[in-house]
Amino acid sequence: MNALVEAVLAQHGRERPALVGEGFAHSGRETLRAVCARAAYLGDRLAGAAYPHVGLLLENTPAYVWWLEAAALAGATVVGVNPTRRGADLLRDLTHTDCALLVTEARLLPLLADLPLAIPVLVVDSPEAAEALTPYADAGPPTTVPAPRTRLLLTFTSGSTGAPKAVVCSQGRLARAGDKLREQYGLTDADTGYACMPLFHGNALMGLWAPLLLAGGTIALRRRFSATGFLADVRAYRAGYFTYVGRAVSYVLATPPRPDDAENPLRLGFGTEAGAVDAARFEQRFGCRLVEGYGSSEGGCNLRQDPAAPPGAVGREGSGPYDDLAVVDPETGEERPRSRFDAAGRLVNGEEAIGELVNRTARAGFEGYWRNERAGAARLRDGWYWTGDLFHRDADGWFRFAGRSADWLRVDSENLAVADIENILARWDSAAAVAVYAVPDPVAGDQVMAAVELRSTGDPLALAAEFAGFLGEQRDLGTKMPPRFLRVVARMPVTATHKTAKTGLREERWDAVGDDLLLWRPYGRAAGAELEYRPFTGADREKLAALFAEHGRSELIVRNRMPRP
């Protein structure tokens, strides 16, 4: 049985619209007719291809869903192409994944200009596409149903920490992931899910499209995420469910509040990295609970969400029936001691408790990376799935996210988790968005640097005093946690999937901040002035460079000085 294909075919009997959005509403019958025509076209067009891979360079439109579901019927594989990629990077994505056909739309054609593409391109809103599909207009469902193990997706990782990898996802795995969410959140054919996250990424596909398709519900599409259009959309489409990433939530919260914000049909949002502060603010303002999950496109380790979770916890068991999750030393594989907290809620044994989250069930749900065996082997070592993410686990078994593998700081010989610091800084009322990352210390280890997007601008000295005063009020702020540097950015850099892009921030440090305001706590201040901030000047930069040179660490501050494009 292939549950995903059955759900696609079941749209024939839908009375409610299957797809709604900006100027369109398509019934289930209309949707299936469009899907079957495209499935028949793919069957013929890809018959002689080495791999039946079709790239979708499309925004969130009905065409994306039609071609995605057509691939499911035809046994083809969809490569979700990121429209923010350019030039050689975009060409690499298409060639690396062995695309035999690229489907795009006229407004995105400029992205392909001057690229030496060796594959045919079908422009969905062109006369040529209409002509190509005409012979298949009356095609019915295929007579042979693809097996659940058939590869459906090659989904690129977010690319926030390096070149994106193409994650393999079968029809069966996607159906299982979607059905878990459908059941867990009680989604039915009466529900509408609002797809404001890009469909080329796993967040929208696994978290929204699959569960709503399996439930027989309606999917509301937004071409591209809009914070200002968010509330109007969910009201217009009567959407009760949506998926998110943390940065998107912060953008919605940054819109001007209105007294009727809570008058909306939303009941649940599912996503990642919103943070406890923003989640509470969102529920208070919009009357909608955000449920934080932990998982990845790879599928090797997913934590089951639990409404009873204490603040900051994600879950305490895996979502699979045979998962065996643990926090271990990434070098030795030995399980880390359980985390402990003081009366103020500060983690008191992070040095020994924080480690890498692993699934000790062989392979778990991970199906590999396309043409990247080395990266796949790094995920699967000694029969375990290694997430590359930092966690700690308390005495009651609750797992708490501590950051990505790159989000680890060592300040004065003490290991710190970026996520812990970000959660504290997110409480600052003046901050619309916060990112914390490591920068080198002139003597040894790291220092804490934070970038902040403000809700409004003001006098730098007043801002410095306000920030220091805020830090002084945080009882759970450890003595090593206050940022050495605070960069005020006009807009937090994000990836195409709205995750914070820290790579550029780390590389720029205090060197390539442009016109951004940069505050810092100078070295050598008296203990009583520990939390005093002032603007970072050219003279400060020279003195800091001399300090690095004095300790033989100059090479740490001359690398990667090129600013972000």
Side-chain angles (χ1 to χ4, degrees):
M1 181 181 73
N2 189 325
L4 203 66
V5 169
E6 289 186 359
V8 171
L9 298 176
Q11 293 179 106
H12 178 78
R14 281 194 194 176
E15 296 182 3
R16 297 181 71 229
L19 297 173
V20 296
E22 299 161 273
F24 62 84
H26 299 293
S27 69
R29 188 184 300 271
E30 292 171 332
T31 296
L32 184 58
R33 180 181 174 89
V35 168
C36 287
R38 286 154 181 79
Y41 172 85
L42 288 177
D44 286 348
R45 193 69 181 81
L46 302 178
Y51 299 100
H53 294 183
V54 52
L56 297 188
L57 179 58
L58 299 165
E59 293 181 338
N60 284 13
T61 62
Y64 202 114
V65 177
W66 293 340
W67 286 98
L68 172 64
E69 295 182 1
L73 294 189
T77 302
V78 161
V79 177
V81 184
N82 182 343
T84 67
R85 302 274 281 175
R86 297 290 187 272
D89 289 337
L90 178 57
L91 182 62
R92 176 262 178 196
D93 291 349
L94 295 170
T95 55
H96 171 72
T97 51
D98 297 294
C99 287
L101 171 69
L102 177 62
V103 176
T104 188
E105 52 187 310
R107 66 189 294 171
L108 297 179
L109 275 177
L111 301 182
L112 305 177
D114 302 324
L115 290 186
L117 285 177
I119 57 174
V121 177
L122 184 72
V123 183
V124 295
D125 46 355
S126 69
E128 292 78 11
E131 182 179 351
L133 290 172
T134 296
Y136 305 97
D138 297 322
T143 56
T144 303
V145 175
R149 65 177 179 277
T150 305
R151 184 172 59 250
L152 176 61
L153 301 174
L154 291 180
T155 304
F156 286 107
T157 57
S158 64
S160 59
T161 57
K165 298 179 286 292
V167 180
V168 175
C169 181
S170 66
Q171 295 200 24
R173 179 161 81 86
L174 186 57
R176 290 190 297 272
D179 202 47
K180 286 177 184 177
L181 292 179
R182 177 202 61 77
E183 181 179 11
Q184 186 167 354
Y185 299 130
L187 298 173
T188 71
D189 59 2
D191 282 304
T192 295
Y194 178 49
C196 55
M197 295 289 98
L199 284 168
F200 65 79
H201 195 257
N203 176 288
L205 291 178
M206 298 182 180
L208 192 136
W209 171 73
L212 263 297
L213 175 70
L214 292 163
T218 300
I219 297 173
L221 298 172
R222 175 84 187 197
R223 264 192 175 270
R224 287 179 289 183
F225 171 76
S226 169
T228 56
F230 176 85
L231 193 56
D233 280 354
V234 298
R235 285 171 171 161
Y237 308 134
R238 303 299 302 166
Y241 176 81
F242 74 105
T243 58
Y244 66 85
V245 294
R247 189 60 59 232
V249 168
S250 71
Y251 289 151
V252 173
L253 290 171
T255 60
R258 296 172 57 93
D260 64 346
D261 279 342
E263 297 175 13
N264 66 74
L266 289 175
R267 66 178 179 87
L268 182 68
F270 170 71
T272 60
E273 300 180 6
V277 173
D278 274 359
R281 289 172 176 167
F282 194 92
E283 183 170 7
Q284 181 179 23
R285 179 172 166 181
F286 298 105
C288 172
R289 182 168 64 98
L290 299 186
V291 179
E292 280 287 297
Y294 170 78
S296 64
S297 301
E298 287 88 344
C301 183
N302 295 278
L303 280 162
R304 184 184 300 277
Q305 296 74 48
D306 189 330
V314 181
R316 58 178 168 187
E317 59 182 8
S319 61
Y322 306 110
D323 285 349
D324 178 15
L325 307 187
V327 176
V328 304
D329 185 310
E331 299 296 330
T332 67
E334 295 182 3
E335 191 162 354
R336 291 290 201 180
R338 298 299 176 98
S339 51
R340 294 180 283 106
F341 303 86
D342 64 16
R346 286 188 292 258
L347 177 64
V348 298
N349 64 332
E351 179 79 17
E352 64 174 7
I354 295 174
E356 185 171 349
L357 181 67
V358 299
N359 191 341
R360 295 183 291 203
T361 299
R363 289 197 69 86
F366 181 52
E367 295 176 316
Y369 297 115
W370 182 256
R371 295 198 182 281
N372 198 336
E373 293 183 3
R374 182 175 181 180
R379 289 288 186 193
L380 296 172
R381 306 195 309 271
D382 303 322
W384 294 358
Y385 177 83
W386 298 73
T387 66
D389 290 336
L390 304 174
F391 274 77
H392 53 90
R393 189 183 194 185
D394 68 19
D396 294 321
W398 294 106
F399 290 94
R400 288 174 171 81
F401 180 65
R404 306 299 177 187
S405 55
D407 290 344
W408 182 266
L409 305 94
R410 189 166 180 82
V411 179
D412 295 342
S413 299
E414 181 177 333
N415 288 337
L416 302 175
V418 160
D420 291 344
I421 305 174
E422 285 182 339
N423 288 337
I424 294 172
L425 299 188
R427 301 170 192 160
W428 188 23
D429 290 337
S430 295
V434 173
V436 172
Y437 46 98
V439 294
D441 180 84
V443 178
D446 307 313
Q447 284 292 328
V448 180
M449 187 165 182
V452 60
E453 179 184 326
L454 297 177
R455 300 186 188 278
S456 61
T457 58
D459 175 72
L461 294 180
L463 179 69
E466 179 189 338
F467 183 64
F470 160 78
L471 293 179
E473 295 171 354
Q474 308 311 304
R475 295 184 59 207
D476 54 346
L477 185 74
T479 58
K480 310 297 183 185
M481 289 181 171
R484 176 68 61 182
F485 300 91
L486 180 70
R487 176 179 177 179
V488 180
V489 297
R491 187 78 165 176
M492 191 67 71
V494 295
T495 67
T497 54
H498 302 284
K499 295 183 178 180
T500 302
K502 294 184 181 179
T503 301
L505 294 172
R506 290 190 192 97
E507 292 175 351
E508 292 167 357
R509 298 181 303 271
W510 54 84
D511 291 324
V513 298
D515 295 330
D516 291 348
L517 172 65
L518 183 62
L519 303 174
W520 81 314
R521 294 185 295 116
Y523 290 94
R525 305 297 297 274
E530 184 65 22
L531 292 181
E532 288 186 5
Y533 289 83
R534 65 170 175 79
F536 186 78
T537 66
D540 292 328
R541 183 174 288 105
E542 292 178 3
K543 290 178 181 177
L544 190 55
L547 194 57
F548 273 89
E550 178 184 342
H551 293 278
R553 287 167 63 86
S554 292
E555 76 279 0
L556 296 178
I557 59 170
V558 297
R559 300 173 184 164
N560 304 316
R561 280 193 171 177
M562 291 298 292
R564 286 194 313 274

